[in-house]
Amino acid sequence: MRCLVTGATGYIGGRLAPRLLADGHQVRCLARHAGRLRDAPWAAAVEIVEGDLRRPETLPPAFADVDTAYYLVHSLGQAGFESADREAAEAFAAAARAAGVRRIVYLGGPEPARDEASAHLRSRAEVGRILLASGVPTAVLRAAVIIGSGSASFEMLRYLSERLPAMVTPRWVHNRIQPISVEDVLRYLVGCVDLPPEVNRAFDIGGPDVLTFGDMIQRYARVAGLRERVIVPVRPLSPTLSSYWVGLVTPVPNAIARPLIESLIHEAVVQEHDIAGYVPDPPEGLTGFDQALELALARVRDAQVETRWSTASGPYAPAEPLPSDPEWSGGTAYTDLREQVVDAPPEALWRIIEGVGGEHGWYSFPLAWSVRGWFDRLIGGAGLRRGRRDPHRLQVGEALDFWRVEEIEPGRLLRLRAEMRLPGRAWLEMRALPAENGRSRYQQRAVFLPRGLAGHAYWGAVTPFHAVVFGGMARNIARGAERGGSDLSSRSGGR
């Protein structure tokens, strides 16, 4: 069948597309910017159509001749996300109905009692109702906590468990939850392609274990070889306070942590397992919680994380390309340009460039980068803790600390777009250029387009530090290439 996957740049969609291909289906991906999928290992095997669910006029080409359409998008973390998700779902439903799509599949969240619903779960439930009422047979899969390498829920659990041998927690840490492994979620999503046309309903999906979040922390500690954690539940910790705490300790920003935490306030236990009548359980049974943790940790250790929660653009991520001409941008473009001749070939220089960020750090003045990262977290930005998906290779569209990879020309150019909170837009370019006698030339350019007076003031305030931060970065990248990267972490202040 021909399957349309929306949200293919996100955590679930980026894993679903290759599994649909492996099952013999044709796959079309809807993306606002096709370039975001360019470096996905399966990109050449799918059809990529540009469109935006917030712009219904762009949707007909994506839905043409589609059998099954997957709705895997949300506006989590954005201001006004409920209205944004409502509009997107309505546009999706109308486009699917007009194109004669045979089935819609939607991955939502658990549905608590209406008088207890958080804004996040209320929005997920509303999207499900819109799709079920679309006139197109729809399967709504309702999952609570998804456990897999790179998922926001797993990252939250992982960092809280590893960094806090003792913690004060909200009382809802004792609420019951039925987590599910990402592999089981994907198996259900793929299996829904074959549902009979009369099926138009929601299904609860969950793994075999019913646990509290406190149990999950202790089980994680045991699987990871850590000592038992001390958990002290107290009443005063509201979801807002809890999200700030999670934002401080984990890579998940407050804007995403808060709706996740609000979801945990409600018990999320599967009420029925009717999906098994259409997508049977595997002979060995559903994946248990401990096994899901072991699989996720193995992928993290082996740097085989397919997608991460941070792959999807956040609310602070402008989508505009880098302006090559200040006139095009309609105003001032500040730049900081650094160049270094490197006594090493371009390929050696490129290895250092592509290794930037994450555990390697940013190759200069680690305290300054850390302070900027902490400040960004404090004001609701991404901070440095998102790290990177793979320690050696980057892909267009993926998150890199508080940057987004906007362009890669392998062996030559890495362009990063800033996703930290700024009064303007910023990019950082790093180039490895050939030079005479087998040497290379490193070129580094920071570009900042200010927004209003605050933007101009910001550039003036940080300019005095550029010689240390950007100058030191250029020098250390050059030296790292000349020395084969052996002293990379020590010079960068690797985290």
Side-chain angles (χ1 to χ4, degrees):
M1 295 188 182
R2 177 175 281 114
C3 301
L4 173 66
V5 177
T6 62
T9 59
Y11 178 72
I12 294 293
R15 296 183 179 218
L16 175 63
R19 284 161 176 79
L20 288 170
L21 289 170
D23 213 44
H25 301 294
Q26 300 174 54
V27 177
R28 178 184 294 160
C29 296
L30 175 68
R32 281 178 294 175
H33 305 282
R36 286 286 310 277
L37 290 171
R38 188 193 71 192
D39 291 337
W42 39 264
V46 305
E47 179 188 0
I48 301 172
V49 176
E50 288 195 342
D52 188 342
L53 292 177
R54 302 292 298 277
R55 297 170 57 210
E57 69 277 6
T58 68
L59 300 181
F63 283 82
D65 301 319
V66 165
D67 298 300
T68 301
Y70 287 90
Y71 189 93
L72 301 173
V73 297
H74 59 74
S75 304
L76 185 65
Q78 299 186 32
F81 70 89
E82 288 184 87
S83 61
D85 281 343
R86 183 184 310 116
E87 292 174 16
E90 289 171 347
F92 182 98
R97 183 172 57 250
V101 171
R102 298 180 185 179
R103 171 156 303 283
I104 291 172
V105 183
Y106 167 55
L107 178 62
E111 189 166 2
R114 293 187 186 277
D115 58 346
E116 299 177 352
S118 66
H120 168 52
L121 290 185
R122 191 166 59 239
S123 175
R124 288 297 184 95
E126 181 183 28
V127 168
R129 290 193 296 272
I130 290 170
L131 298 178
L132 286 168
S134 66
V136 178
T138 297
V140 174
L141 303 183
R142 298 190 296 216
V145 173
I146 296 176
I147 300 298
S149 58
S151 76
S153 297
F154 173 74
E155 293 287 340
M156 209 164 74
L157 174 66
R158 173 189 171 199
Y159 279 85
L160 286 173
S161 303
E162 290 185 354
R163 294 185 172 181
L164 299 176
M167 62 192 85
V168 175
T169 64
R171 294 179 66 86
W172 48 256
V173 77
H174 292 315
N175 288 351
R176 296 183 306 154
I177 306 164
Q178 196 160 348
I180 183 171
S181 78
V182 68
E183 291 300 325
D184 285 333
V185 171
L186 293 167
R187 188 174 56 81
Y188 285 134
L189 288 170
V190 172
C192 282
V193 167
D194 298 317
L195 288 176
E198 66 272 13
V199 174
N200 185 65
R201 55 162 293 183
F203 295 95
D204 288 348
I205 59 172
D209 301 307
V210 176
L211 307 164
T212 68
F213 196 76
D215 294 334
M216 291 165 63
I217 290 173
Q218 300 293 13
R219 297 270 283 267
Y220 180 95
R222 185 163 64 249
V223 170
L226 305 173
R227 294 182 179 178
E228 183 177 356
R229 278 21 211 161
V230 177
I231 300 175
V232 181
V234 296
R235 187 178 296 277
L237 282 180
S238 68
T240 301
L241 290 175
S242 300
S243 68
Y244 285 127
W245 177 243
V246 169
L248 185 69
V249 176
T250 80
V252 183
N254 300 343
I256 295 177
R258 181 170 180 176
L260 289 177
I261 288 170
E262 287 178 339
S263 303
L264 296 174
I265 294 174
H266 315 290
E267 292 212 329
V269 178
V270 168
Q271 300 300 310
E272 43 81 15
H273 191 48
D274 296 349
I275 188 67
Y278 302 98
V279 184
D281 294 346
E284 66 278 10
L286 298 172
T287 308
F289 180 73
D290 288 2
Q291 183 184 0
L293 288 180
E294 290 168 356
L295 291 170
L297 286 171
R299 287 188 173 274
V300 170
R301 285 193 298 267
D302 297 339
Q304 293 180 348
V305 179
E306 291 179 70
T307 58
R308 297 181 72 214
W309 61 272
S310 56
T311 308
S313 297
Y316 30 71
E320 297 86 346
L322 175 69
S324 56
D325 188 332
E327 292 181 1
W328 177 93
S329 71
T332 303
Y334 292 113
T335 62
D336 182 279
L337 182 64
R338 310 275 168 172
E339 291 195 12
Q340 291 280 137
V341 175
V342 183
D343 192 16
E347 54 269 24
L349 176 58
W350 177 251
R351 283 195 296 271
I352 306 301
I353 292 174
E354 196 175 13
V356 71
E359 293 300 316
H360 288 159
W362 290 87
Y363 304 155
S364 72
F365 204 174
L367 178 60
W369 287 99
S370 295
V371 169
R372 185 63 181 88
W374 278 105
F375 178 73
D376 193 55
R377 297 282 288 190
L378 187 65
I379 60 176
L384 291 173
R385 285 218 183 96
R386 292 191 305 186
R388 50 182 293 159
R389 180 187 57 85
D390 184 288
H392 307 295
R393 297 289 178 264
L394 294 173
Q395 296 179 358
V396 166
E398 69 177 332
L400 177 61
D401 290 332
F402 49 30
W403 302 88
R404 178 79 55 178
V405 180
E406 186 169 271
E407 182 59 88
I408 297 178
E409 295 177 17
R412 179 179 174 84
L413 167 69
L414 173 62
R415 179 186 299 149
L416 306 175
R417 185 185 68 236
E419 291 194 342
M420 71 281 282
R421 298 279 186 171
L422 290 170
R425 293 178 285 139
W427 292 261
L428 178 62
E429 284 186 339
M430 291 173 275
R431 296 177 185 267
L433 304 173
E436 67 283 349
N437 301 323
R439 298 190 297 175
S440 56
R441 181 164 54 92
Y442 173 66
Q443 187 181 84
Q444 175 182 295
R445 183 169 75 126
V447 179
F448 180 68
L449 303 185
R451 183 176 60 247
L453 182 60
H456 293 277
Y458 172 82
W459 183 263
V462 300
T463 295
F465 300 99
H466 285 173
V468 176
V469 176
F470 288 140
M473 184 177 181
R475 289 190 298 273
N476 287 334
I477 286 177
R479 290 170 185 167
E482 292 171 346
R483 300 180 185 185
S486 59
D487 62 346
L488 194 59
S489 293
S490 62
R491 287 189 172 275
S492 65
R495 297 182 306 284

